[in-house]
Amino acid sequence: MSDPQRLPLLGCGLVVGVTGHRDLRDEELPGLRAQVRAFFLALRRDYPGLPLTLLSPLAAGADQLVTQVARELDVRVVAVLPVPAAMYRADFEDAGSQALYDRQLAQCQVLELPLRHAGDRDAVERGGRARDLQYAQAGIFASSHCHILLALWDGEESGLLGGTAQVVSFHLQG
């Protein structure tokens, strides 16, 4: 993993953040991949002199899909992890998304965000509100440090702390 103090996150270039649903429908995956690919190719066409960087929490679903397409196109990816990498791995519910997380993590620069409740690491590990705050922090970080936020989202409010709707709202309204 990279040392966050020496990680040149933004430098010069065009930075894209990603947020999106975890439960993408299998029948929609090919179309979503094609749209994401077209999105990155359009950015390259429209801004040929700017290197692209993707900020991705690598969560299952949308984040992993966008990260996969970005890596196929040799887009630099910075993994913005809400909790330490090993702790985060436990959040992936199935072996396939865990394996993809491991592969993607190895191909990215990594920024592990600090624990908001560092004195109560156990609370963050257990889940609940302390863990949700970490996810919200990752969404806010990506939104605050990108030029464009790519959201794979159905437009529905979920009310979830750190969820896609909240990240999009933060990006649009601050």
Side-chain angles (χ1 to χ4, degrees):
M1 276 182 256
S2 301
D3 178 356
Q5 305 297 25
R6 298 186 315 176
L7 183 66
L9 275 183
L10 301 179
C12 57
L14 187 58
V15 180
V16 176
V18 63
T19 187
H21 292 298
R22 291 177 182 223
D23 56 345
L24 302 176
R25 294 184 189 107
D26 289 340
E27 65 272 10
E28 294 178 355
L29 293 178
L32 288 171
R33 277 193 188 91
Q35 289 177 334
V36 170
R37 182 178 181 78
F39 167 79
F40 281 117
L41 292 175
L43 290 178
R44 282 223 171 111
R45 180 193 67 232
D46 294 344
Y47 304 100
L50 291 176
L52 296 176
T53 297
L54 175 67
L55 298 179
S56 174
L58 302 182
D63 295 1
Q64 288 186 340
L65 181 145
V66 172
T67 299
Q68 192 169 26
V69 172
R71 292 302 307 138
E72 289 167 3
L73 296 172
D74 292 321
V75 171
R76 176 177 164 241
V77 178
V78 176
V80 180
L81 304 185
V83 295
M87 186 188 300
Y88 191 39
R89 189 176 191 280
D91 289 353
F92 293 83
E93 296 176 1
D94 64 81
S97 61
Q98 273 186 349
L100 185 54
Y101 166 75
D102 292 338
R103 284 193 308 274
Q104 290 180 339
L105 191 65
Q107 297 174 344
C108 300
Q109 289 179 293
V110 177
L111 175 62
E112 291 179 354
L113 295 177
L115 296 179
R116 292 178 47 89
H117 301 285
D120 194 3
R121 184 181 174 101
D122 290 341
V124 175
E125 285 182 359
R126 279 192 306 272
R129 183 155 177 82
R131 185 69 153 238
D132 292 346
L133 284 169
Q134 291 298 130
Y135 279 96
Q137 178 178 261
I140 289 168
F141 182 93
S143 174
S144 297
H145 290 84
C146 71
H147 300 104
I148 299 169
L149 181 67
L150 176 59
L152 277 62
W153 177 46
D154 61 10
E156 298 292 321
E157 288 288 333
S158 68
L160 295 175
L161 181 60
T164 305
Q166 189 177 58
V167 173
V168 170
S169 177
F170 175 83
H171 190 76
L172 295 175
Q173 300 167 8

